[in-house]
Amino acid sequence: MHSRTLLTFGETMGRLDAEGIGLLDGGRPLSLKLAGAESNVAITAARLGADVTWVGRVGPDGVGDLIERRLRAEGVSTRALRDDAFTGLMISSRRTSAGVRVDYHRAGSAGSRLRPSDLPQELIAGAGVLHVTGITPALSAGAREATFYAVDVARAAGVLVSVDVNHRAKLWSAQEAAPVLRDLVARADLVFAGPEEARLVLDAPNDAADPLTLARAVAGLGPTAVIIKDGPRGAVAIVDGAEHVAPPVPVHAVDPVGAGDAFVGGYLADLLDGADPATCLTTAGRTGAYAVTVPGDCEHLPYRHELAAFAAAEDVAR
């Protein structure tokens, strides 16, 4: 690696959380937080001790101010480029206790107007890991161009490229997404995906293959490391041809949104610290499990000492 810095970019939004359970109406208070896969990863990794830089566009509004202020407060080196469009929003609510409903308001947002010139070559070439997601190329043609530009610059500079497939059906259809995500995965060194996302990239049937077989098939596209995140069923990885399995961490789920990003942030923080794949996978699983036990995308993610205490409690519970 060129350095121990994690570089990531993408859209960060405001997240409005409706308190309680029931219809979303004027009688329920809303709290304002942050949301965004890449900034979730950035904050997770920073809290675990990594050197992290985030780049993105925000609007000339209070939500944009909050994003810039919060990321910097988390110790993330922040390049919040001001745009004259609005900062995107997501609204999270619970109609019942069975799950969380998420609605996005981001079409035409500042974050969707990212372009290659926002990402200096020297910034990319100086990173240890460039992390991108499949969300950014779904936002606009310019954001898609910026994603592949950054990946190509990183590859040319010998920077490790990390990709979280992160297919968002509300942003683009599987038919539109599949060839783009397959191309992105083929250029990556390290890939994170859920089982359904792996099948999407592979153009495989929905019931095809177990996670390890899926990981090997995705690795056949080019990446040297593939991690399949399978939520409450744990995770598996193929790294340089070797298999790794991380069992699930049993927890009481409070808010599942952002758990996959926490998983990725935990893995990358350990990777930048020189840990072996098994250790990275264990840390990732514990960080993702911790994330579902607390509300919000990133506000209550663990610091390294809290993760150690969480792991100790998990070991005692076993």
Side-chain angles (χ1 to χ4, degrees):
M1 292 184 188
H2 286 55
S3 74
R4 294 175 63 184
T5 298
L6 170 63
L7 171 64
T8 189
F9 60 89
E11 180 173 33
T12 298
M13 301 166 286
R15 169 174 167 163
L16 290 171
D17 280 355
E19 296 181 10
I21 297 173
L23 289 170
L24 187 62
D25 58 30
R28 296 178 63 189
L30 297 171
S31 57
L32 178 60
K33 303 173 183 176
L34 303 190
E38 299 83 8
S39 54
N40 289 343
V41 170
I43 290 172
T44 303
R47 287 196 176 187
L48 296 181
D51 181 13
V52 186
T53 297
W54 173 89
V55 180
R57 286 184 169 264
V58 297
D61 45 44
V63 177
D65 295 341
L66 174 64
I67 290 168
E68 186 170 9
R69 185 169 64 248
R70 276 294 316 281
L71 285 172
R72 287 180 173 169
E74 293 289 350
V76 176
S77 177
T78 304
R79 297 192 178 207
L81 306 167
R82 292 290 171 161
D83 196 285
D84 57 6
F86 65 95
T87 304
L89 287 173
M90 65 176 279
I91 300 175
S92 173
S93 61
R94 288 179 179 269
R95 179 67 177 88
T96 71
S97 61
V100 177
R101 171 175 174 169
V102 176
D103 297 312
Y104 293 105
H105 301 270
R106 63 198 303 181
S109 67
S112 71
R113 295 167 67 166
L114 192 76
R115 50 181 179 261
S117 59
D118 295 335
L119 301 161
Q121 286 192 23
E122 62 273 14
L123 185 66
I124 301 168
V129 174
L130 171 71
H131 177 70
V132 303
T133 77
I135 297 172
T136 307
L139 298 177
S140 68
R144 185 177 306 180
E145 184 183 358
T147 302
F148 282 92
Y149 163 79
V151 167
D152 289 345
V153 170
R155 284 167 56 88
V159 174
L160 188 145
V161 175
S162 166
V163 170
D164 189 347
V165 173
N166 241 333
H167 175 236
R168 292 288 187 268
K170 289 187 177 182
L171 294 176
W172 53 353
S173 68
Q175 291 74 20
E176 182 184 4
V180 178
L181 295 175
R182 190 176 304 118
D183 191 5
L184 194 59
V185 163
R187 302 181 193 215
D189 300 291
L190 169 61
V191 171
F192 299 90
E196 290 185 5
E197 292 169 336
R199 295 182 185 109
L200 174 67
V201 167
L202 294 166
D203 193 22
N206 286 339
D207 59 350
D210 61 275
L212 273 171
T213 302
L214 287 171
R216 285 200 178 278
V218 174
L221 298 176
T224 56
V226 177
I227 294 89
I228 302 296
K229 304 175 290 181
D230 204 9
R233 288 165 292 279
V236 301
I238 299 293
V239 182
D240 294 325
E243 296 181 359
H244 301 272
V245 177
V249 179
V251 293
H252 173 66
V254 171
D255 185 354
V257 179
D261 305 326
F263 180 103
V264 173
Y267 192 101
L268 294 178
D270 268 20
L271 178 67
L272 286 161
D273 203 32
D276 60 81
T279 301
C280 292
L281 197 60
T282 297
T283 297
R286 286 172 171 164
T287 308
Y290 191 107
V292 305
T293 67
V294 293
D297 272 38
C298 58
E299 287 76 15
H300 303 294
L301 292 170
Y303 293 91
R304 183 69 73 171
H305 69 279
E306 292 175 321
L307 192 61
F310 181 72
E314 171 202 341
D315 292 340
V316 168
R318 287 179 179 174

